[in-house]
Amino acid sequence: MNNSKYHGVVVPMVTPVTQDGRLDTEAVKRIIGFFAQNGVSPLLMGTTGEGNSVSQADGLLFVETAVKAREEWKAANGPCPMLIYAGLTGNCFSEQLHQAEAYTKAGADIIVATLPTYYALTEEQMYNYYKTLADSITGPLMLYNILATTHMSIPVDVIRQLADHPNIVGLKDSERDLERMAACIDIAKGRNDFAYFCGWAAQSAHSLELGGNGIVPSTGNYVPEMFSQLYEAAVRGDMAEANRLQDETNEIAKIYQKDRTLGQSLTALKVMMQTKGLCEPWMLMPLTRLSADEEQAIVAKITE
């Protein structure tokens, strides 16, 4: 691993909302406190956080609430290594610039941006998009590659070029490709200005063993302590323990992911979080809650 300030466990936080679709700020505070207690950082408005469905006003409120909750936790409990990662999505570049600056001004530590998704982009267009974004915003930028939702993959060669940009500090890669993972980790090795984060939760331990800097597991919304333990085990070279925790968290992930679409799995994850008093399983349109029977089955599964 390198010495980048960006490392560790970053949980792609769910976006807690009320039944009428408003941001549930009290739930945000509870979840941020839960994360701080367990030594992980949040990625707000990523894929798990329904980022494309969050309004600009609620996005800013989300960042403001999370930053305030972190500071309140620190005041009550002492130092906290939590960084606030703010997701950036959408297809209008000028609006993205406005949001990125608003998030940074509100206290976000880093902007994490996916590709615009309406048009299929050439390699040159992908490069120019990220370069222009990095040139234009105040805060540091992390690339976010997720083929499953953008239907495009940022080529490794493009990532290698972008890694030399002074304001691009890392990559979160959620593509399920082991060869690509190794190649991207190699880009980050030996440098302290560019970090690799694995967004393929089932390969968290393996990515750290290869030299990755951090992991971004959605199941961390429910069991952040297990991923903290997994990360620490991998850092100290105890891969037997890291792989044990990997297997256990993979089984937990199946409870909300198995036989469900990505959108259905997100509300199922909120059902699991509800059992810990963290949030309610309401969703932003176009996603919806599961049936009462399905929700009860999930609760029964985790309490059996």
Side-chain angles (χ1 to χ4, degrees):
M1 297 182 186
N2 62 33
N3 294 316
S4 170
K5 68 178 285 190
Y6 306 105
H7 61 270
V9 182
V10 177
V11 177
M13 181 175 160
V14 302
T15 297
V17 295
T18 58
Q19 185 173 358
D20 59 0
R22 292 179 295 110
L23 184 72
D24 187 340
T25 54
E26 292 304 312
V28 171
K29 295 173 187 176
R30 288 194 296 272
I31 297 169
I32 291 295
F34 182 51
F35 286 2
Q37 180 183 348
N38 288 288
V40 304
S41 294
L43 165 59
L44 311 181
M45 296 170 289
T47 303
T48 305
E50 304 169 73
N52 277 286
S53 302
V54 178
S55 70
Q56 290 193 12
D58 271 352
L60 179 56
L61 178 61
F62 198 174
V63 173
E64 291 172 340
T65 306
V67 170
K68 184 178 179 181
R70 175 186 62 181
E71 297 312 306
E72 289 176 348
W73 194 92
K74 286 166 68 174
N77 299 281
C80 174
M82 176 185 287
L83 298 178
I84 304 294
Y85 293 69
L88 193 68
T89 59
N91 293 306
C92 177
F93 191 72
S94 62
E95 289 181 357
Q96 287 186 307
L97 290 182
H98 174 79
Q99 285 301 99
E101 291 302 272
Y103 295 162
T104 300
K105 186 176 181 180
D109 297 287
I110 182 168
I111 301 299
V112 186
T114 60
L115 286 169
T117 59
Y118 191 81
Y119 299 105
L121 303 178
T122 66
E123 292 188 17
E124 182 180 10
Q125 288 168 336
M126 292 181 196
Y127 174 83
N128 285 335
Y129 167 74
Y130 279 119
K131 180 183 183 301
T132 306
L133 184 60
D135 286 344
S136 304
I137 65 176
T138 305
L141 176 66
M142 179 173 282
L143 316 175
Y144 181 179
N145 182 68
I146 179 163
L147 175 64
T149 59
T150 65
H151 309 293
M152 290 179 281
S153 176
I154 309 170
V156 174
D157 284 345
V158 171
I159 292 166
R160 186 174 291 108
Q161 294 176 62
L162 290 167
D164 290 331
H165 191 289
N167 200 36
I168 294 177
V169 298
L171 165 71
K172 183 217 166 186
D173 201 323
S174 299
E175 193 160 335
R176 300 189 171 200
D177 182 330
L178 290 172
E179 185 176 340
R180 174 190 173 87
M181 176 193 293
C184 290
I185 289 173
D186 281 343
I187 294 172
K189 278 184 179 176
R191 54 192 301 174
N192 59 14
D193 59 347
F194 189 82
Y196 173 88
F197 279 76
C198 178
W200 182 6
Q203 294 295 331
S204 295
H206 179 60
S207 72
L208 294 169
E209 185 175 22
L210 291 179
N213 302 97
I215 53 178
V216 192
S218 59
T219 310
N221 279 282
Y222 181 66
V223 284
E225 70 284 358
M226 294 182 72
F227 286 97
S228 285
Q229 293 162 14
L230 186 158
Y231 176 80
E232 294 300 332
V235 168
R236 67 175 181 265
D238 186 354
M239 291 312 302
E241 175 66 1
N243 287 319
R244 182 189 70 78
L245 288 159
Q246 181 73 76
D247 291 342
E248 288 189 15
T249 55
N250 288 349
E251 290 303 308
I252 294 170
K254 289 177 184 177
I255 298 172
Y256 69 94
Q257 293 175 346
K258 192 174 188 300
D259 299 324
R260 293 190 175 93
T261 64
L262 175 57
Q264 290 172 328
S265 76
L266 301 183
T267 186
L269 177 58
K270 287 184 180 180
V271 171
M272 294 169 65
M273 295 174 71
Q274 186 181 36
T275 67
K276 294 189 173 184
L278 294 169
C279 66
E280 296 186 10
W282 299 109
M283 304 299 287
L284 292 168
M285 286 287 287
L287 300 182
T288 54
R289 284 181 70 157
L290 302 174
S291 69
D293 286 347
E294 288 177 288
E295 291 188 5
Q296 290 168 11
I298 292 168
V299 173
K301 182 72 175 176
I302 60 178
T303 56
E304 65 185 14

